[in-house]
Amino acid sequence: MFRLDHIGIVVAALEPAVELYCRLLGYPPERVEYHDVPSEGVRVAMFKGNTRLELLEPTDPDGALARFLQKRGGGFHHFCFGAPAPLEDKLAALREQGFQLLDEAPRRGAEGKVFFVHPKSAGGILTEFVEDRDGS
């Protein structure tokens, strides 16, 4: 069984994108959660529903998200799936199956431990796994 945790979307500027998605989804702005992840060079706005939407604004002009934005413009960036704790077990299982991973060990994301699978070994889609917060 898998659980889609969120969909990541890169945006050029967080505030106008939050306003746009609030209007589009009928979502109250006061329920949007903001996170800064300096180690990843990103500011995040999280819309929480039955599937969560993560808007990502690059803060590091030399970082991977800034390069993504320059090359492709804003838009879909990644899927994120929940995985049971400990997340290291999922990472090790995927490594043993031959997946190309972007991380040797889980790292800190906006809302917990995460790791990424390279698009080359995941059907062309950057895929993130996050450790389930509720133990599911």
Side-chain angles (χ1 to χ4, degrees), residues 56-129:
L56 304 146
E57 175 190 14
T59 58
D60 176 0
D62 298 320
L65 283 177
R67 289 191 305 273
F68 178 95
L69 189 62
Q70 289 169 353
K71 185 176 180 180
R72 297 181 180 94
F76 175 77
H77 185 256
H78 68 273
F79 286 122
C80 178
F81 297 100
L87 192 60
E88 291 80 0
D89 290 353
K90 181 66 174 178
L91 187 144
L94 292 176
R95 180 182 292 122
E96 287 174 18
Q97 293 175 48
F99 284 91
Q100 183 179 352
L101 305 175
L102 295 178
D103 299 291
E104 290 297 314
R107 58 176 140 151
R108 194 92 188 126
E111 296 188 309
K113 289 174 24 176
V114 303
F115 72 88
F116 288 86
V117 179
H118 196 287
K120 288 181 181 177
S121 64
I125 303 293
L126 179 64
T127 304
E128 178 182 17
F129 285 90

Side-chain angles (χ1 to χ4, degrees), residues 21-45:
Y21 279 93
C22 282
R23 287 187 297 118
L24 181 66
L25 301 172
Y27 197 88
E30 61 273 4
R31 292 203 48 218
V32 178
E33 293 183 9
Y34 293 87
H35 304 275
D36 287 317
V37 188
S39 63
E40 299 301 314
V42 67
R43 286 181 59 223
V44 173

